[in-house]
């Protein structure tokens, strides 16, 4: 059977203007549709104010800070992004920069409605860093779990 296409994830927000500004400025997303209380971004996700009314449930059943879902973004210039992020006093962090066994550095923080946002450096950059550190393509593939063909295209 043919699989159904995912069209868009919708995120419930309390204040569309505050959330719109956050997604545009902090994680550099571009709006493709702004319908007032519903805003869709290029990355195929949308923000929805008055979500409980739209789906017909009491407002208190829309949970805040559930810590069971995140939006994941990748940043080519990760160090520059971190510097910019650190200047934003309003950011509440889940954790500071974390470096995983596969070499990728990530940071997690909350959006204005306390949904988790993860920003990671691109795996292409991770591969390049390992290559600059003198690892062979085979060693990088083993460490990052990335296919050798992918790595050859990065380097």
């Amino acid at each position: 059977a043919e699989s159904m296409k995912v069209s868009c994830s919708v995120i419930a927000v309390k204040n569309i203007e505050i959330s719109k500004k956050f997604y545009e400025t902090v994680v550099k997303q571009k709006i493709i549709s702004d319908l007032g209380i519903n805003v869709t971004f290029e990355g195929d996700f949308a923000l929805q104010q008055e979500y409980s009314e739209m789906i017909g449930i009491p407002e208190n059943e829309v949970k805040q800070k559930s810590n069971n879902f995140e939006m994941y973004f990748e940043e080519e210039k990760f160090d520059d992004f971190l510097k910019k992020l650190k200047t934003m006093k309003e950011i509440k962090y889940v954790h500071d920069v974390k470096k995983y066994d596969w070499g990728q550095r990530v940071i997690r923080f909350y959006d204005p409605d306390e949904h988790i946002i993860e920003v990671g450096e691109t795996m292409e950059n991770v591969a390049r860093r390992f290559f600059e550190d003198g690892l062979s393509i085979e060693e990088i593939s083993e460490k990052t779990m990335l296919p050798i063909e992918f790595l050859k295209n990065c380097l």
Side-chain angles (χ1 to χ4, degrees):
E2 206 177 303
S3 67
M4 207 180 289
K5 180 184 177 290
V6 175
S7 178
C8 181
S9 296
V10 178
I11 302 168
V13 301
K14 281 191 165 91
N15 183 313
I16 197 78
E17 291 305 319
I18 289 171
S19 294
K20 185 166 69 170
K21 183 174 185 247
F22 172 89
Y23 281 93
E24 283 181 301
T25 59
V26 180
V27 286
K28 300 184 271 187
Q29 297 303 292
K30 288 186 176 66
I31 293 173
I32 54 172
S33 168
D34 187 339
L35 307 174
I37 63 168
N38 179 283
V39 175
T40 303
F41 292 90
E42 263 182 10
D44 294 330
F45 72 96
L47 307 176
Q48 178 71 48
Q49 190 176 295
E50 299 170 18
Y51 185 73
S52 63
E53 291 172 34
M54 187 177 84
I55 67 169
I57 65 169
E59 196 174 331
N60 67 351
E61 288 184 25
V62 177
K63 303 289 181 236
Q64 287 290 113
K65 202 173 184 178
S66 62
N67 288 325
N68 65 358
F69 165 86
E70 71 173 27
M71 293 284 293
Y72 173 71
F73 299 90
E74 283 191 340
E75 174 57 59
E76 189 70 35
K77 295 181 169 95
F78 189 70
D79 293 307
D80 292 345
F81 172 75
L82 290 176
K83 281 183 202 130
K84 183 183 115 182
L85 192 65
K86 297 296 181 185
T87 68
M88 299 176 184
K89 304 287 180 239
E90 72 278 9
I91 300 293
K92 292 189 189 97
Y93 294 90
V94 177
H95 62 72
D96 203 352
V97 178
K98 194 180 265 206
K99 188 174 182 179
Y100 288 106
D101 292 344
W102 56 90
Q104 186 185 34
R105 295 174 300 152
V106 305
I107 191 163
R108 288 184 178 89
F109 49 94
Y110 293 104
D111 81 354
D113 293 277
E114 298 182 294
H115 302 295
I116 296 173
I117 303 298
E118 176 184 357
V119 176
E121 64 183 326
T122 65
M123 287 308 292
E124 289 88 346
N125 283 353
V126 173
R128 284 187 209 106
R129 195 171 63 243
F130 282 142
F131 192 71
E132 287 162 11
D133 289 346
L135 274 69
S136 69
I137 286 185
E138 292 74 19
E139 289 169 322
I140 297 169
S141 176
E142 193 174 311
K143 191 162 179 65
T144 61
M145 300 169 280
L146 294 170
I148 287 175
E149 278 310 304
F150 173 85
L151 292 171
K152 284 180 180 170
N153 290 332
C154 295
L155 312 169

